[in-house]
Amino acid sequence: MNDQALREPTLLILTAIADAPRHGYAIAQEVEKISEGRTKMRTGTLYGALERLLEQELIAVHEEEVVDGRRRRSYALAPRGREVLTAEAARLARTAQEATRRLGLGGAAASPGAAFRIGATAVGT
């Protein structure tokens, strides 16, 4: 992987398995949850991305079993994937911090997880 930003589907997949190994269907559910419903991964797209991430050694097969005659794999974040995801999370945090600064939302809003206050309306939490 180079220093370019991760594409959103890649970022979402890596994030989905960062805390625990998951099989394909669970990854798709996590991606939808993390993206707040904005991203729904189709089966072909997901498995194509998983194969690409395996080739790039960003993820690894955690377990493989046969269920009802079909192969079922669970995937985990590989050490290289953890490094890439950590770097991307830091990059995104720096960008968000700079956007917050430029919008003049400093103070408590500049800390991670704080609600942004614009006028009297709270945005995000």
Side-chain angles (χ1 to χ4, degrees):
M1 210 72 206
N2 53 32
D3 290 335
Q4 289 185 331
L6 293 178
R7 293 181 303 157
E8 187 173 22
T10 299
L11 172 63
L12 291 169
I13 291 169
L14 295 179
T15 301
I17 61 173
D19 61 343
R22 290 186 167 80
H23 57 80
Y25 180 72
I27 292 170
Q29 288 181 312
E30 284 296 304
V31 163
E32 188 171 347
K33 181 177 158 187
I34 294 164
S35 70
E36 299 177 332
R38 288 185 324 273
T39 302
K40 295 179 183 180
M41 301 212 68
R42 294 184 179 167
T43 304
T45 302
L46 174 64
Y47 285 100
L50 291 171
E51 286 302 315
R52 179 178 49 81
L53 295 172
L54 282 167
E55 289 172 10
Q56 294 173 341
E57 298 180 348
L58 297 178
I59 65 172
V61 174
H62 178 258
E63 276 186 349
E64 191 168 3
E65 61 184 338
V66 177
V67 178
D68 296 328
R70 296 175 60 184
R71 183 176 64 178
R72 178 174 161 154
R73 288 179 165 180
S74 63
Y75 301 88
L77 202 56
R80 185 163 180 258
R82 184 165 299 281
E83 290 173 13
V84 168
L85 183 58
T86 298
E88 183 69 358
R91 185 191 69 77
L92 290 169
R94 286 188 307 272
T95 301
Q97 185 177 21
E98 183 61 14
T100 299
R101 185 189 71 76
R102 289 178 183 223
L103 287 167
L105 300 175
S111 64
F116 293 152
R117 299 216 173 267
I118 303 173
T121 306
V123 179
T125 50

